[in-house]
Coordinates of all heavy atoms in Angstrom, one line a residue:
M1 N -50.8 25.3 76.6 CA -50.9 25.6 75.2 C -50.7 24.3 74.4 O -49.7 23.6 74.5 CB -49.9 26.7 74.9 CG -49.9 27.1 73.5 SD -48.7 28.4 73.3 CE -49.0 28.9 71.6
S2 N -51.6 24.1 73.4 CA -51.4 22.9 72.6 C -50.6 23.2 71.3 O -50.6 24.4 70.9 CB -52.8 22.3 72.3 OG -53.5 23.2 71.5
V3 N -50.0 22.2 70.8 CA -49.3 22.4 69.5 C -50.2 22.2 68.4 O -50.9 21.2 68.3 CB -48.1 21.4 69.5 CG1 -47.4 21.5 68.1 CG2 -47.2 21.6 70.6
P4 N -50.2 23.1 67.4 CA -51.1 23.0 66.2 C -50.7 21.7 65.5 O -49.5 21.3 65.4 CB -50.8 24.2 65.4 CG -50.2 25.2 66.3 CD -49.5 24.4 67.4
D5 N -51.7 21.0 64.9 CA -51.4 19.8 64.2 C -50.3 19.9 63.1 O -49.6 19.0 62.9 CB -52.7 19.3 63.5 CG -53.7 18.7 64.4 OD1 -53.3 18.4 65.6 OD2 -54.9 18.5 64.1
D6 N -50.3 21.1 62.4 CA -49.2 21.2 61.4 C -47.8 21.3 61.9 O -46.9 21.1 61.2 CB -49.5 22.5 60.6 CG -50.7 22.4 59.7 OD1 -51.2 21.3 59.5 OD2 -51.2 23.4 59.2
L7 N -47.7 21.5 63.2 CA -46.4 21.6 63.8 C -46.0 20.4 64.7 O -44.9 20.3 65.2 CB -46.3 22.9 64.7 CG -46.5 24.2 64.0 CD1 -46.4 25.3 65.0 CD2 -45.5 24.4 62.9
K8 N -46.9 19.4 64.7 CA -46.6 18.2 65.4 C -45.5 17.4 64.7 O -45.4 17.5 63.5 CB -47.8 17.2 65.4 CG -48.9 17.6 66.3 CD -49.9 16.5 66.6 CE -50.6 15.9 65.4 NZ -51.7 15.0 65.7
P9 N -44.6 16.8 65.5 CA -43.5 16.0 64.8 C -44.2 14.9 64.0 O -45.2 14.4 64.4 CB -42.7 15.5 66.0 CG -43.3 15.9 67.2 CD -44.5 16.8 66.9
I10 N -43.6 14.5 62.9 CA -44.2 13.5 62.1 C -44.4 12.2 62.8 O -45.4 11.5 62.5 CB -43.4 13.3 60.8 CG1 -44.2 12.6 59.7 CG2 -42.1 12.6 61.1 CD1 -43.7 12.7 58.3
E11 N -43.6 11.9 63.8 CA -43.8 10.7 64.6 C -45.1 10.7 65.4 O -45.6 9.7 65.7 CB -42.6 10.5 65.6 CG -41.2 10.4 65.0 CD -40.6 11.8 64.8 OE1 -41.0 12.8 65.4 OE2 -39.7 11.9 63.9
A12 N -45.7 11.9 65.6 CA -46.9 12.0 66.4 C -48.1 12.0 65.4 O -49.3 12.0 65.9 CB -46.9 13.3 67.2
W13 N -47.9 12.0 64.1 CA -49.1 11.9 63.2 C -49.8 10.6 63.3 O -49.2 9.6 63.4 CB -48.6 12.2 61.8 CG -48.2 13.6 61.5 CD1 -47.9 14.6 62.4 CD2 -47.8 14.1 60.2 NE1 -47.5 15.7 61.7 CE2 -47.4 15.4 60.4 CE3 -47.9 13.6 58.9 CZ2 -47.1 16.2 59.3 CZ3 -47.5 14.4 57.9 CH2 -47.1 15.7 58.1
T14 N -51.1 10.7 63.2 CA -51.9 9.5 63.1 C -52.1 9.1 61.7 O -51.8 9.9 60.8 CB -53.3 9.8 63.8 OG1 -54.0 10.7 63.0 CG2 -53.2 10.2 65.2
D15 N -52.7 8.0 61.4 CA -53.1 7.6 60.1 C -54.0 8.6 59.4 O -53.9 8.9 58.3 CB -53.7 6.2 60.1 CG -52.7 5.1 60.3 OD1 -51.5 5.3 60.3 OD2 -53.1 3.9 60.6
D16 N -54.9 9.1 60.2 CA -55.9 10.1 59.7 C -55.2 11.4 59.3 O -55.5 12.0 58.3 CB -57.0 10.4 60.8 CG -58.0 9.3 60.9 OD1 -58.0 8.4 60.0 OD2 -58.6 9.3 62.0
D17 N -54.1 11.8 60.1 CA -53.3 13.0 59.7 C -52.7 12.8 58.4 O -52.7 13.7 57.5 CB -52.2 13.3 60.8 CG -52.8 13.7 62.1 OD1 -53.8 14.3 62.2 OD2 -52.1 13.4 63.1
I18 N -52.1 11.6 58.2 CA -51.4 11.3 57.0 C -52.3 11.3 55.8 O -52.1 11.9 54.7 CB -50.6 10.0 57.1 CG1 -49.4 10.2 58.1 CG2 -50.0 9.6 55.7 CD1 -48.8 9.0 58.6
A19 N -53.5 10.6 56.0 CA -54.5 10.6 54.9 C -55.0 11.9 54.5 O -55.1 12.3 53.3 CB -55.7 9.7 55.4
A20 N -55.2 12.8 55.5 CA -55.7 14.1 55.2 C -54.7 15.0 54.4 O -55.1 15.8 53.6 CB -56.1 14.8 56.5
R21 N -53.4 14.8 54.7 CA -52.4 15.6 54.1 C -51.9 15.1 52.8 O -51.5 15.9 51.9 CB -51.2 15.7 55.0 CG -51.4 16.7 56.2 CD -50.2 16.6 57.1 NE -50.4 17.6 58.2 CZ -51.0 17.3 59.4 NH1 -51.6 16.1 59.6 NH2 -51.1 18.2 60.3
Y22 N -52.0 13.8 52.6 CA -51.4 13.2 51.4 C -52.3 12.4 50.5 O -52.5 12.6 49.4 CB -50.2 12.3 51.8 CG -49.1 13.1 52.5 CD1 -49.0 13.0 53.9 CD2 -48.3 14.1 51.8 CE1 -48.0 13.7 54.6 CE2 -47.4 14.8 52.5 CZ -47.3 14.7 53.9 OH -46.3 15.4 54.6
D23 N -53.0 11.4 51.2 CA -53.8 10.5 50.4 C -55.1 11.1 49.9 O -55.5 10.9 48.7 CB -54.2 9.3 51.3 CG -53.0 8.5 51.8 OD1 -51.9 8.6 51.2 OD2 -53.1 7.7 52.8
D24 N -55.8 11.8 50.7 CA -57.1 12.4 50.3 C -57.1 13.3 49.1 O -57.9 13.2 48.2 CB -57.8 13.1 51.5 CG -58.2 12.1 52.6 OD1 -58.1 10.8 52.4 OD2 -58.5 12.6 53.7
P25 N -56.1 14.3 49.0 CA -56.1 15.1 47.9 C -55.8 14.3 46.6 O -56.5 14.6 45.5 CB -55.0 16.1 48.1 CG -54.9 16.1 49.6 CD -55.2 14.7 50.1
A26 N -54.9 13.4 46.6 CA -54.6 12.6 45.4 C -55.8 11.7 45.0 O -56.2 11.6 43.8 CB -53.4 11.7 45.6
R27 N -56.5 11.1 46.0 CA -57.7 10.3 45.7 C -58.8 11.2 45.1 O -59.5 10.8 44.2 CB -58.2 9.6 47.0 CG -57.3 8.4 47.3 CD -57.9 7.6 48.4 NE -57.1 6.4 48.6 CZ -56.5 6.2 49.8 NH1 -56.6 7.0 50.8 NH2 -55.7 5.2 49.9
A28 N -59.0 12.4 45.6 CA -60.0 13.3 45.1 C -59.7 13.7 43.7 O -60.6 13.7 42.8 CB -60.1 14.6 46.0
A29 N -58.4 13.9 43.4 CA -58.1 14.3 42.0 C -58.3 13.1 41.1 O -58.9 13.2 40.0 CB -56.6 14.7 41.9
L30 N -57.9 11.9 41.5 CA -58.2 10.7 40.7 C -59.7 10.5 40.5 O -60.1 10.2 39.3 CB -57.6 9.5 41.4 CG -57.8 8.1 40.6 CD1 -57.2 8.2 39.2 CD2 -57.2 7.0 41.4
R31 N -60.5 10.7 41.5 CA -61.9 10.5 41.4 C -62.5 11.6 40.4 O -63.3 11.2 39.6 CB -62.6 10.7 42.8 CG -64.0 10.3 42.8 CD -64.6 10.2 44.2 NE -64.1 11.2 45.2 CZ -63.2 11.0 46.1 NH1 -62.6 9.9 46.3 NH2 -62.9 12.0 46.9
A32 N -62.0 12.8 40.4 CA -62.4 13.8 39.5 C -62.1 13.5 38.1 O -62.9 13.6 37.2 CB -61.8 15.2 39.8
L33 N -60.9 12.9 37.8 CA -60.5 12.5 36.5 C -61.4 11.3 36.0 O -61.9 11.4 34.9 CB -59.1 12.1 36.5 CG -58.0 13.2 36.6 CD1 -56.7 12.6 36.8 CD2 -58.0 14.0 35.3
E34 N -61.6 10.3 36.9 CA -62.4 9.2 36.5 C -63.8 9.6 36.2 O -64.4 9.2 35.2 CB -62.4 8.1 37.6 CG -61.0 7.5 37.7 CD -60.9 6.6 38.9 OE1 -61.7 6.7 39.9 OE2 -60.0 5.7 38.9
E35 N -64.4 10.3 37.1 CA -65.8 10.7 36.9 C -66.0 11.7 35.7 O -67.0 11.6 35.0 CB -66.4 11.4 38.2 CG -66.5 10.4 39.3 CD -66.9 11.0 40.7 OE1 -67.2 12.3 40.7 OE2 -67.0 10.3 41.7
G36 N -65.0 12.6 35.6 CA -65.1 13.5 34.4 C -65.0 12.8 33.1 O -65.8 13.1 32.2
R37 N -64.1 11.8 33.0 CA -64.0 11.1 31.7 C -65.3 10.3 31.5 O -65.8 10.2 30.4 CB -62.8 10.2 31.7 CG -61.5 10.9 31.6 CD -61.4 11.7 30.3 NE -61.4 10.8 29.1 CZ -62.0 11.0 28.0 NH1 -62.7 12.1 27.8 NH2 -61.9 10.2 27.0
R38 N -65.8 9.6 32.5 CA -67.0 8.9 32.4 C -68.2 9.7 31.9 O -69.0 9.3 31.1 CB -67.4 8.2 33.7 CG -68.6 7.2 33.6 CD -68.9 6.5 34.9 NE -69.0 7.4 36.0 CZ -68.2 7.4 37.1 NH1 -67.2 6.6 37.2 NH2 -68.5 8.3 38.1
D39 N -68.2 11.0 32.3 CA -69.2 11.9 31.9 C -68.9 12.7 30.6 O -69.6 13.5 30.2 CB -69.5 13.0 33.0 CG -70.1 12.3 34.3 OD1 -70.6 11.2 34.2 OD2 -70.0 12.9 35.3
G40 N -67.7 12.3 30.0 CA -67.4 12.9 28.7 C -66.6 14.2 28.7 O -66.4 14.8 27.7
A41 N -66.0 14.6 29.9 CA -65.2 15.8 30.0 C -63.9 15.6 29.2 O -63.3 14.5 29.1 CB -64.9 16.1 31.4
T42 N -63.5 16.7 28.6 CA -62.2 16.6 27.8 C -61.2 17.7 28.2 O -60.1 17.8 27.7 CB -62.5 16.8 26.3 OG1 -63.1 18.1 26.1 CG2 -63.4 15.7 25.7
R43 N -61.6 18.5 29.2 CA -60.7 19.6 29.7 C -60.6 19.5 31.2 O -61.7 19.6 31.9 CB -61.1 21.0 29.3 CG -61.3 21.2 27.8 CD -60.0 21.3 27.1 NE -60.1 21.5 25.7 CZ -60.1 20.6 24.8 NH1 -59.8 19.3 25.2 NH2 -60.2 20.8 23.5
F44 N -59.4 19.3 31.8 CA -59.3 19.3 33.2 C -58.2 20.3 33.6 O -57.1 20.3 33.0 CB -58.8 17.9 33.7 CG -59.8 16.8 33.4 CD1 -59.8 16.1 32.2 CD2 -60.8 16.5 34.4 CE1 -60.7 15.1 32.0 CE2 -61.7 15.5 34.2 CZ -61.7 14.8 33.0
V45 N -58.5 21.1 34.7 CA -57.5 22.0 35.2 C -57.5 21.9 36.7 O -58.6 22.2 37.3 CB -57.7 23.5 34.8 CG1 -56.7 24.4 35.4 CG2 -57.7 23.6 33.3
F46 N -56.4 21.4 37.3 CA -56.4 21.4 38.8 C -55.7 22.6 39.3 O -54.7 23.0 38.8 CB -55.5 20.1 39.2 CG -56.2 18.8 38.9 CD1 -56.0 18.1 37.8 CD2 -57.2 18.3 39.8 CE1 -56.6 16.9 37.5 CE2 -57.8 17.2 39.6 CZ -57.5 16.5 38.4
V47 N -56.3 23.2 40.3 CA -55.8 24.4 40.9 C -55.1 24.0 42.2 O -55.8 23.5 43.1 CB -56.8 25.5 41.2 CG1 -56.2 26.7 41.8 CG2 -57.5 25.9 39.8
L48 N -53.8 24.2 42.3 CA -53.1 23.7 43.5 C -52.7 24.9 44.4 O -52.4 26.0 43.8 CB -51.8 22.9 43.1 CG -52.1 21.7 42.2 CD1 -50.8 21.1 41.7 CD2 -53.0 20.7 42.9
P49 N -52.5 24.7 45.7 CA -52.0 25.8 46.5 C -50.6 26.2 46.1 O -49.8 25.4 45.6 CB -52.1 25.2 47.9 CG -52.1 23.8 47.8 CD -52.7 23.5 46.4
A50 N -50.3 27.5 46.4 CA -49.0 28.0 46.1 C -47.8 27.3 46.8 O -46.7 27.2 46.3 CB -49.0 29.5 46.3
E51 N -48.1 26.9 48.0 CA -47.0 26.2 48.7 C -46.8 24.8 48.3 O -47.8 24.1 48.0 CB -47.2 26.3 50.3 CG -48.5 25.6 50.8 CD -49.7 26.5 50.7 OE1 -49.6 27.7 50.4 OE2 -50.8 25.9 50.9
V52 N -45.6 24.4 48.1 CA -45.3 23.1 47.6 C -45.5 22.1 48.7 O -45.1 22.3 49.9 CB -43.8 23.0 47.1 CG1 -43.4 21.6 46.7 CG2 -43.6 23.9 46.0
S53 N -46.1 21.0 48.4 CA -46.4 19.9 49.4 C -46.4 18.6 48.7 O -46.5 18.5 47.4 CB -47.7 20.1 50.1 OG -48.8 19.9 49.2
A54 N -46.2 17.5 49.4 CA -46.2 16.2 48.8 C -47.6 15.9 48.2 O -47.7 15.3 47.1 CB -46.0 15.1 49.9
A55 N -48.7 16.4 48.8 CA -50.0 16.2 48.2 C -50.1 16.9 46.8 O -50.6 16.3 45.9 CB -51.1 16.7 49.1
S56 N -49.6 18.1 46.8 CA -49.7 18.9 45.5 C -48.8 18.1 44.4 O -49.2 18.0 43.3 CB -49.1 20.3 45.7 OG -50.0 21.0 46.5
E57 N -47.7 17.6 44.8 CA -46.8 16.9 43.9 C -47.5 15.6 43.4 O -47.4 15.2 42.2 CB -45.5 16.6 44.5 CG -44.6 17.9 44.5 CD -44.3 18.4 43.1 OE1 -43.8 17.6 42.2 OE2 -44.7 19.5 42.8
A58 N -48.2 15.0 44.3 CA -48.9 13.7 43.9 C -50.0 14.0 42.9 O -50.1 13.3 41.9 CB -49.5 13.1 45.2
V59 N -50.7 15.1 43.1 CA -51.8 15.5 42.1 C -51.1 15.9 40.8 O -51.6 15.6 39.7 CB -52.6 16.7 42.7 CG1 -53.6 17.2 41.6 CG2 -53.4 16.2 43.9
R60 N -50.0 16.6 40.9 CA -49.3 17.1 39.7 C -48.8 15.9 38.9 O -49.0 15.8 37.6 CB -48.1 18.0 40.0 CG -47.6 18.8 38.8 CD -46.5 19.7 39.2 NE -45.3 19.0 39.6 CZ -44.5 18.4 38.7 NH1 -44.7 18.5 37.4 NH2 -43.4 17.7 39.1
L61 N -48.3 14.9 39.5 CA -47.8 13.7 38.8 C -49.0 12.9 38.2 O -48.9 12.3 37.1 CB -47.0 12.8 39.8 CG -45.6 13.4 40.1 CD1 -44.9 12.5 41.2 CD2 -44.7 13.5 38.9
L62 N -50.1 12.8 39.0 CA -51.3 12.2 38.5 C -51.8 12.9 37.2 O -52.1 12.3 36.2 CB -52.4 12.2 39.5 CG -53.7 11.6 39.2 CD1 -53.6 10.1 38.9 CD2 -54.7 11.8 40.3
M63 N -51.7 14.2 37.2 CA -52.1 15.1 36.1 C -51.2 14.7 34.9 O -51.7 14.6 33.8 CB -52.0 16.5 36.5 CG -52.2 17.5 35.3 SD -50.8 18.0 34.3 CE -49.6 18.5 35.5
L64 N -49.9 14.6 35.1 CA -49.0 14.3 34.0 C -49.3 13.0 33.3 O -49.3 12.9 32.1 CB -47.6 14.4 34.5 CG -46.9 15.7 34.7 CD1 -45.6 15.6 35.4 CD2 -46.8 16.4 33.4
G65 N -49.6 12.0 34.2 CA -49.9 10.7 33.6 C -51.2 10.7 32.8 O -51.3 10.1 31.7
A66 N -52.2 11.4 33.4 CA -53.5 11.4 32.6 C -53.3 12.2 31.3 O -53.9 11.8 30.3 CB -54.5 12.1 33.5
A67 N -52.5 13.3 31.4 CA -52.3 14.1 30.2 C -51.7 13.3 29.1 O -52.1 13.3 27.9 CB -51.5 15.3 30.5
R68 N -50.7 12.5 29.4 CA -50.0 11.7 28.5 C -50.9 10.6 27.9 O -50.9 10.3 26.7 CB -48.7 11.1 29.1 CG -47.6 12.1 29.3 CD -46.4 11.5 29.9 NE -45.4 12.5 30.2 CZ -44.7 12.6 31.3 NH1 -44.8 11.7 32.2 NH2 -43.8 13.6 31.4
Q69 N -51.7 10.0 28.8 CA -52.5 8.8 28.4 C -53.7 9.3 27.5 O -54.0 8.6 26.6 CB -53.1 8.2 29.7 CG -54.0 7.0 29.4 CD -54.5 6.3 30.6 OE1 -54.0 6.5 31.7 NE2 -55.5 5.5 30.5
W70 N -54.2 10.5 27.8 CA -55.5 10.9 27.1 C -55.2 11.9 26.0 O -56.1 12.3 25.3 CB -56.5 11.5 28.1 CG -57.0 10.4 29.0 CD1 -57.1 9.1 28.8 CD2 -57.5 10.7 30.3 NE1 -57.7 8.5 29.9 CE2 -57.9 9.4 30.8 CE3 -57.7 11.8 31.1 CZ2 -58.5 9.3 32.1 CZ3 -58.2 11.7 32.3 CH2 -58.6 10.4 32.9
E71 N -54.0 12.3 25.8 CA -53.7 13.4 24.8 C -54.1 12.9 23.4 O -54.7 13.7 22.6 CB -52.2 13.7 24.8 CG -51.8 14.8 23.8 CD -50.3 15.2 23.9 OE1 -49.5 14.4 24.4 OE2 -50.0 16.3 23.5
S72 N -53.9 11.7 23.0 CA -54.3 11.2 21.7 C -55.8 11.2 21.5 O -56.3 11.1 20.4 CB -53.7 9.8 21.5 OG -54.4 8.9 22.4
E73 N -56.6 11.3 22.6 CA -58.0 11.4 22.5 C -58.5 12.8 22.5 O -59.7 13.1 22.5 CB -58.7 10.6 23.7 CG -58.3 9.1 23.7 CD -58.8 8.5 25.0 OE1 -59.9 8.8 25.4 OE2 -58.1 7.6 25.5
G74 N -57.6 13.8 22.5 CA -58.0 15.2 22.5 C -58.3 15.7 23.9 O -58.9 16.8 24.0
V75 N -58.0 15.0 24.9 CA -58.2 15.4 26.3 C -57.0 16.2 26.8 O -55.9 15.7 26.6 CB -58.5 14.2 27.2 CG1 -58.7 14.6 28.7 CG2 -59.8 13.4 26.7
T76 N -57.2 17.3 27.5 CA -56.1 18.0 28.1 C -56.3 18.0 29.6 O -57.4 18.1 30.1 CB -56.0 19.5 27.6 OG1 -57.2 20.2 27.9 CG2 -55.9 19.5 26.1
V77 N -55.2 17.9 30.3 CA -55.1 17.9 31.7 C -53.9 18.8 32.2 O -52.8 18.5 31.7 CB -54.9 16.4 32.3 CG1 -55.1 16.4 33.8 CG2 -55.9 15.5 31.6
N78 N -54.2 19.8 33.0 CA -53.2 20.7 33.4 C -53.3 21.1 34.9 O -54.4 20.8 35.5 CB -53.3 22.0 32.5 CG -53.0 21.7 31.1 OD1 -51.8 21.5 30.7 ND2 -54.0 21.8 30.3
C79 N -52.3 21.8 35.4 CA -52.4 22.3 36.8 C -52.0 23.8 36.7 O -51.1 24.2 36.0 CB -51.4 21.6 37.7 SG -51.8 19.9 38.1
V80 N -52.6 24.5 37.6 CA -52.1 25.9 37.9 C -51.9 26.0 39.4 O -52.6 25.5 40.2 CB -53.2 26.9 37.4 CG1 -54.5 26.8 38.1 CG2 -52.6 28.3 37.5
V81 N -50.8 26.6 39.7 CA -50.4 26.9 41.1 C -50.9 28.3 41.5 O -50.5 29.2 40.8 CB -48.9 26.7 41.3 CG1 -48.5 27.0 42.8 CG2 -48.5 25.3 40.9
G82 N -51.7 28.4 42.5 CA -52.4 29.6 42.8 C -53.7 29.6 42.1 O -54.2 28.6 41.8
D83 N -54.3 30.8 41.9 CA -55.6 30.8 41.3 C -55.9 32.0 40.4 O -56.8 32.8 40.6 CB -56.7 30.7 42.4 CG -58.1 30.4 41.8 OD1 -58.1 30.0 40.6 OD2 -59.0 30.4 42.5
D84 N -55.0 32.3 39.4 CA -55.2 33.4 38.5 C -56.2 32.9 37.4 O -56.0 32.0 36.7 CB -53.9 33.8 37.8 CG -54.0 34.9 36.9 OD1 -55.1 35.1 36.2 OD2 -53.1 35.8 36.9
R85 N -57.4 33.5 37.4 CA -58.5 33.1 36.5 C -58.1 33.0 35.0 O -58.4 32.1 34.3 CB -59.7 34.0 36.7 CG -60.9 33.6 35.9 CD -62.1 34.5 36.2 NE -61.8 35.9 35.8 CZ -62.0 36.4 34.6 NH1 -62.4 35.7 33.7 NH2 -61.8 37.7 34.4
R86 N -57.2 34.0 34.6 CA -56.8 34.0 33.2 C -56.0 32.8 32.9 O -56.1 32.2 31.8 CB -56.0 35.3 32.9 CG -56.9 36.5 33.0 CD -56.1 37.8 32.9 NE -55.3 37.7 34.1 CZ -54.2 38.5 34.4 NH1 -53.9 39.4 33.4 NH2 -53.5 38.5 35.5
V87 N -55.1 32.3 33.8 CA -54.3 31.2 33.6 C -55.2 29.9 33.5 O -55.0 29.1 32.6 CB -53.2 31.0 34.7 CG1 -52.5 29.7 34.5 CG2 -52.2 32.2 34.6
V88 N -56.2 29.8 34.4 CA -57.1 28.7 34.4 C -57.8 28.7 33.1 O -58.0 27.6 32.4 CB -58.1 28.8 35.6 CG1 -59.1 27.7 35.5 CG2 -57.3 28.7 36.9
E89 N -58.3 29.8 32.6 CA -59.0 29.9 31.3 C -58.2 29.4 30.2 O -58.6 28.7 29.3 CB -59.6 31.3 31.1 CG -60.7 31.6 32.0 CD -61.2 33.1 31.9 OE1 -60.5 33.9 31.2 OE2 -62.2 33.4 32.5
F90 N -56.9 29.8 30.2 CA -56.0 29.4 29.1 C -55.8 27.9 29.1 O -55.9 27.2 28.1 CB -54.6 30.1 29.2 CG -53.6 29.6 28.4 CD1 -53.6 29.7 27.0 CD2 -52.5 28.8 28.9 CE1 -52.6 29.2 26.2 CE2 -51.6 28.3 28.1 CZ -51.6 28.4 26.7
L91 N -55.5 27.4 30.3 CA -55.3 25.9 30.4 C -56.5 25.1 30.1 O -56.5 24.1 29.5 CB -54.8 25.5 31.8 CG -53.4 26.0 32.2 CD1 -53.1 25.7 33.6 CD2 -52.4 25.5 31.3
A92 N -57.7 25.7 30.3 CA -59.0 25.0 30.0 C -59.3 25.1 28.5 O -60.2 24.4 28.1 CB -60.1 25.6 30.9
S93 N -58.6 26.0 27.8 CA -58.9 26.2 26.4 C -58.5 25.0 25.5 O -59.0 24.8 24.4 CB -58.2 27.4 25.9 OG -56.8 27.1 25.7
G94 N -57.7 24.1 26.0 CA -57.3 22.9 25.3 C -56.0 23.2 24.4 O -55.6 22.3 23.7
A95 N -55.4 24.4 24.6 CA -54.2 24.7 23.8 C -53.0 23.9 24.1 O -52.1 23.6 23.3 CB -53.9 26.2 23.9
V96 N -52.9 23.4 25.4 CA -51.8 22.7 25.9 C -52.3 21.6 26.8 O -53.4 21.6 27.3 CB -50.8 23.6 26.7 CG1 -50.2 24.6 25.8 CG2 -51.4 24.2 27.9
T97 N -51.4 20.6 27.1 CA -51.8 19.6 28.0 C -50.5 19.1 28.8 O -49.4 19.3 28.2 CB -52.4 18.3 27.4 OG1 -53.0 17.5 28.4 CG2 -51.5 17.6 26.5
G98 N -50.7 18.7 30.0 CA -49.6 18.2 30.8 C -48.7 19.4 31.4 O -47.5 19.1 31.7
K99 N -49.2 20.6 31.5 CA -48.5 21.7 31.9 C -48.8 22.1 33.4 O -50.0 22.0 33.8 CB -48.7 22.9 31.0 CG -48.3 22.7 29.6 CD -46.9 22.3 29.4 CE -46.6 22.1 27.9 NZ -45.3 21.4 27.8
T100 N -47.9 22.6 34.1 CA -48.1 23.2 35.4 C -47.6 24.7 35.3 O -46.4 24.9 34.9 CB -47.3 22.5 36.5 OG1 -47.7 21.1 36.6 CG2 -47.5 23.2 37.9
L101 N -48.5 25.6 35.5 CA -48.1 27.0 35.5 C -48.3 27.6 36.9 O -49.2 27.3 37.6 CB -49.0 27.8 34.5 CG -48.9 27.3 33.0 CD1 -49.8 28.1 32.2 CD2 -47.5 27.4 32.5

């Protein structure tokens, strides 16, 4: 019986394991922000999984930085944990920025 990747001791993780769990989600969020701004987007809402992880926290911190940087330009950037459509719609309305719900 093999051990699932999620249960491998951290010492057994490869560079690809670490990238998939931590680096890739943050890079994808940064790419979404950069491409969105380049295309003129002014509302960003990241939907994060309910379980807390280092990758989710990295995306949340990236969101906070972008929210602070772009707030004066009328751009809002928020996160929702889980996926309640009403919460996403509220965050996308532009009423608030830099929030995690």
Side-chain angles (χ1 to χ4, degrees):
M1 178 177 186
S2 65
V3 176
D5 283 346
D6 288 348
L7 299 178
K8 285 194 302 191
I10 198 165
E11 300 85 22
W13 289 10
T14 66
D15 288 345
D16 289 340
D17 292 332
I18 293 168
R21 286 175 175 86
Y22 302 105
D23 298 341
D24 294 349
R27 286 193 178 115
L30 179 58
R31 194 169 39 257
L33 288 167
E34 291 172 339
E35 291 174 5
R37 286 301 294 141
R38 186 175 53 242
D39 293 341
T42 59
R43 304 285 180 262
F44 297 89
V45 178
F46 291 96
V47 179
L48 303 175
E51 59 276 351
V52 175
S53 70
S56 293
E57 283 300 300
V59 171
R60 196 178 69 75
L61 290 173
L62 179 65
M63 173 274 306
L64 282 172
R68 289 179 182 141
Q69 180 176 345
W70 294 333
E71 184 174 21
S72 65
E73 299 173 37
V75 176
T76 63
V77 188
N78 296 287
C79 288
V80 61
V81 177
D83 194 9
D84 184 323
R85 185 176 61 85
R86 292 169 298 166
V87 173
V88 173
E89 288 172 354
F90 169 72
L91 291 176
S93 74
V96 298
T97 190
K99 301 298 180 198
T100 300
L101 301 177

